[in-house]
Amino acid sequence: YHGYCEIPQDDWLKEENILALTFTEKAAEEMETRVASELDTGGYGCTISTFHSFAERILQDHGVEVGLPVSFKLVDEKGAWVLLKKNIEKLGLKHFRPLGNPAKFLNVLLRHFSLCKQSLISPAEYLDYAQNTNLDFDSKKNPQSLDLEKLNELANAYHVYNRLLLENSVLDFDDLIYYACDLFSKSLHIKEKYILRYKCVCIDEFQDTNWAQYSFIKMIVGEQTEFAAVGDDDQSIYKFRGASLSNILHFKKDFPNAEEVVLSDNFRSAQPILDAAYSLIRNNDPERLEVKLRLNKKLIANSSGLGAIAAGEFFDDSDEAEYIANQI
């Protein structure tokens, strides 16, 4: 792990000034438990939450500032698919609506829309880009006119999808961070309110943040804010969901005075297991941050033990599971 934090200036911190964010409800509950064990009051005044739950609370209080329904509900991926299916005629699809299976590409479109929101690309920006861009492809298999048609089709479908969400008073999960960023960029007095409240901000699993999430957090980090980000590029597995490892590098540029701490103590495994894992992960060099930032991330075990490593070959996953169960 790499920990980056601004050095505290004084002891003015109160519980209500603390904001800690992570990605899953389970991780948030674990953070709450650890904070409660450290504070006599149980840490009830702290805000410890997932990114999306925190953004949802902000939008429930201030969403009308950016045109959101007074009372909105969240729609999951399945619900978003059903919404598109019911309104497929409104999407204006041609290339992405095969006659034999009109709904074939709806999941792909939803994934595309999700990545747009994670990159803070608005429907208006997408439409403007599609209508004014000049594509230049050399391949004869992809004529420029056809690619421009597809691009405009995607941009229009993205615009219609967002309109459908608002007309039905629902938001998807990516909307929570997207509109929170929109709110802070347009309503500076609201942003200032959160900057003044949260004097200490901590982000867990920082390697899993996407661009929208990092931008969201930066908006409420003021000059006097203590900001800590904990992450490990070797544990980054969510690039397909938009996670951007470059956020760690951006952090170092955005907060050049931050202190850097390498957490090398390990309390889970014996040294032979740690050594084997380290040897394996180094096959990703030189793309790892350990190389790029000239760090030493080799873990040191705080527990003794043989740490025996076994290698096996199995017919299928059930065969492997049975072997593991027998070993246990």
Side-chain angles (χ1 to χ4, degrees):
Y1 282 80
H2 318 304
Y4 304 105
C5 59
E6 294 288 358
I7 300 174
Q9 299 296 319
D10 48 43
D11 59 353
W12 41 249
L13 204 61
K14 299 178 181 179
E15 287 187 11
E16 57 265 28
N17 301 135
I18 298 174
L19 170 65
L21 298 178
T22 187
F23 286 85
T24 65
E25 295 290 348
K26 182 178 180 180
E29 291 174 2
E30 183 176 347
M31 292 172 70
E32 288 180 339
T33 300
R34 295 188 181 189
V35 169
S37 67
E38 295 291 332
L39 300 176
D40 295 335
T41 59
Y44 293 111
C46 304
T47 302
I48 303 175
S49 171
T50 65
F51 272 92
H52 291 91
S53 293
F54 179 57
E56 183 179 4
R57 289 200 295 270
I58 292 174
L59 294 179
Q60 286 172 342
D61 292 337
H62 309 289
V64 291
E65 296 273 347
V66 286
L68 297 184
V70 175
S71 179
F72 63 82
K73 295 182 179 180
L74 289 179
V75 62
D76 59 15
E77 189 172 348
K78 181 179 179 180
W81 187 93
V82 171
L83 181 64
L84 285 185
K85 181 67 167 57
K86 288 181 178 179
N87 295 276
I88 196 168
E89 295 291 342
K90 298 179 181 179
L91 297 177
L93 299 177
K94 177 182 176 183
H95 301 288
F96 298 98
R97 187 185 175 187
L99 294 178
N101 183 8
K104 178 179 180 180
F105 293 113
L106 292 186
N107 281 326
V108 178
L109 290 175
L110 285 171
R111 181 68 193 135
H112 184 66
F113 302 157
S114 174
L115 292 175
C116 287
K117 293 179 182 181
Q118 291 171 13
S119 301
L120 296 181
I121 299 172
S122 71
E125 289 172 327
Y126 200 162
L127 281 171
D128 180 69
Y129 173 77
Q131 293 169 2
N132 295 286
T133 190
N134 292 312
L135 298 179
D136 183 17
F137 292 100
D138 294 329
S139 175
K140 293 181 180 179
K141 295 181 180 180
N142 295 294
Q144 182 173 335
S145 59
L146 178 60
D147 286 290
L148 282 172
E149 288 181 13
K150 290 181 179 179
L151 183 62
N152 277 276
E153 187 173 312
L154 287 172
N156 180 70
Y158 180 41
H159 174 75
V160 173
Y161 169 64
N162 279 275
R163 190 182 68 211
L164 288 170
L165 290 172
L166 295 178
E167 288 176 352
N168 287 272
S169 297
V170 296
L171 301 180
D172 63 29
F173 284 98
D174 292 302
D175 280 330
L176 296 175
I177 307 296
Y178 173 83
Y179 282 115
C181 289
D182 191 37
L183 172 68
F184 286 156
S185 64
K186 294 178 178 178
S187 302
L188 299 183
H189 65 287
I190 295 177
K191 182 178 76 169
E192 187 68 20
K193 168 187 172 182
Y194 286 91
I195 291 176
L196 293 175
R197 174 177 177 179
Y198 294 116
K199 300 178 180 179
C200 180
V201 177
C202 178
I203 307 301
D204 188 30
E205 304 292 356
F206 190 63
Q207 76 278 354
D208 292 332
T209 57
N210 56 45
W211 180 248
Q213 288 164 336
Y214 182 44
S215 300
F216 171 50
I217 291 304
K218 282 199 301 179
M219 288 182 178
I220 57 174
V221 172
E223 292 182 0
Q224 300 300 317
T225 306
E226 299 175 27
F227 183 19
V230 185
D232 181 8
D233 63 306
D234 291 330
Q235 298 187 49
S236 177
I237 58 174
Y238 291 119
K239 185 177 181 180
F240 69 97
R241 292 184 183 174
S244 176
L245 267 179
S246 63
N247 284 346
I248 294 179
L249 299 177
H250 282 295
F251 183 98
K252 290 178 67 65
K253 293 179 181 178
D254 294 335
F255 303 94
N257 296 324
E259 179 186 356
E260 182 177 292
V261 180
V262 179
L263 306 179
S264 57
D265 289 339
N266 182 279
F267 300 90
R268 179 176 295 171
S269 303
Q271 195 62 47
I273 294 176
L274 298 179
D275 291 342
Y278 185 69
S279 176
L280 182 64
I281 203 67
R282 291 199 64 184
N283 286 310
N284 289 329
D285 290 347
E287 299 304 318
R288 297 171 59 246
L289 292 184
E290 183 176 29
V291 177
K292 292 183 177 181
L293 302 180
R294 298 180 180 178
L295 303 171
N296 180 7
K297 290 171 52 183
K298 185 174 174 58
L299 298 178
I300 306 300
N302 272 255
S303 60
S304 59
L306 296 177
I309 299 174
E313 186 173 343
F314 308 99
F315 179 73
D316 55 23
D317 54 350
S318 297
D319 189 23
E320 178 186 8
E322 183 177 359
Y323 169 81
I324 294 173
N326 288 334
Q327 291 297 311
I328 294 173

